Structure formats: structure tokens, C-alpha cells
């Protein structure tokens, strides 16, 4: 079953790692509680439908769990879909 719903068919497939990403996502999702599996699958489906906010939420989800490769993929996807991330506060003095 391809969990990424074809979302890796673009740039990741061009890089030759679409199957690898799908397999990693499938393995990780199977280890989650059923409610979290459903939530993650719904975000993946929304991301596949070019929902930029869903892609950004997937980026944050994977970033919070230290899964950098997946986080980078979904951050890039969100930005390509037109998502504008919130401004970050800086502690620099002017």
C-alpha cells in the first residue's frame, strides 16, 4: 500500500527515492496508535491533494520526532505548494 498517495511521484521520484520514502512512511505509521495512524494518513492524503498546510503540518510532525529526511521532504513540498511559514521571532538586538 502506498501511503503517500502518490505525493512522492514528483521530485522524490526524480531523485530515485520514492519507493524508499513510501516504505519508511509505511513502517513508521504501522507502529502508531490507530487514532494517530488515521490522523497521519489524512494529512498524507491532503498533502497529496496539494494542501500546503497539511504538508507543513507533516513537516512539523516529522521535525518534532527528529525524522529529518521526512521533515525536509514535507517542508519543501509545503513551500512548493505555496505555503508561507509563520515569521520567526528573533532575539537579536538591533
Amino acid at each position: 500500500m502506498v501511503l503517500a498517495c502518490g505525493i512522492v511521484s514528483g521530485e522524490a521520484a526524480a531523485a530515485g527515492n520514492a519507493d524508499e520514502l513510501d516504505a519508511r512512511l509505511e513502517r513508521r505509521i504501522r507502529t502508531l496508535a490507530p487514532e494517530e495512524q488515521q490522523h497521519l494518513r489524512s494529512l498524507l492524503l491532503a498533502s497529496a491533494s496539494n494542501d500546503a498546510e497539511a504538508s507543513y503540518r507533516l513537516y512539523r510532525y516529522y521535525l518534532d520526532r527528529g525524522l529529518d529526511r521526512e521533515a525536509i521532504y514535507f517542508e519543501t513540498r509545503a513551500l512548493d505548494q505555496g505555503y508561507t511559514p509563520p515569521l520567526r521571532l528573533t532575539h537579536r538586538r538591533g
Side-chain angles (χ1 to χ4, degrees):
M1 177 173 155
V2 177
L3 288 178
C5 307
I7 61 174
V8 293
S9 61
E11 59 277 346
N17 59 359
D19 292 335
E20 178 187 341
L21 179 60
D22 275 342
R24 271 198 320 273
L25 290 173
E26 175 67 30
R27 282 192 304 273
R28 289 201 174 108
I29 287 176
R30 285 183 182 176
T31 65
L32 302 173
E35 297 82 22
E36 194 169 355
Q37 285 182 20
Q38 183 179 5
H39 175 70
L40 200 54
R41 285 188 171 118
S42 68
L43 286 176
L44 287 166
L45 183 59
S47 177
S49 299
N50 289 322
D51 183 334
E53 185 165 339
S55 295
Y56 188 77
R57 289 175 63 192
L58 284 165
Y59 156 69
R60 296 294 309 172
Y61 175 87
Y62 286 114
L63 185 67
D64 291 345
R65 284 155 182 79
L67 302 170
D68 295 337
R69 185 180 296 174
E70 289 83 355
I72 290 169
Y73 173 80
F74 285 107
E75 179 186 35
T76 302
R77 182 163 177 77
L79 295 173
D80 289 347
Q81 291 171 333
Y83 186 81
T84 304
L87 296 175
R88 294 187 174 111
L89 298 176
T90 62
H91 299 292
R92 291 179 35 191
R93 293 185 178 171

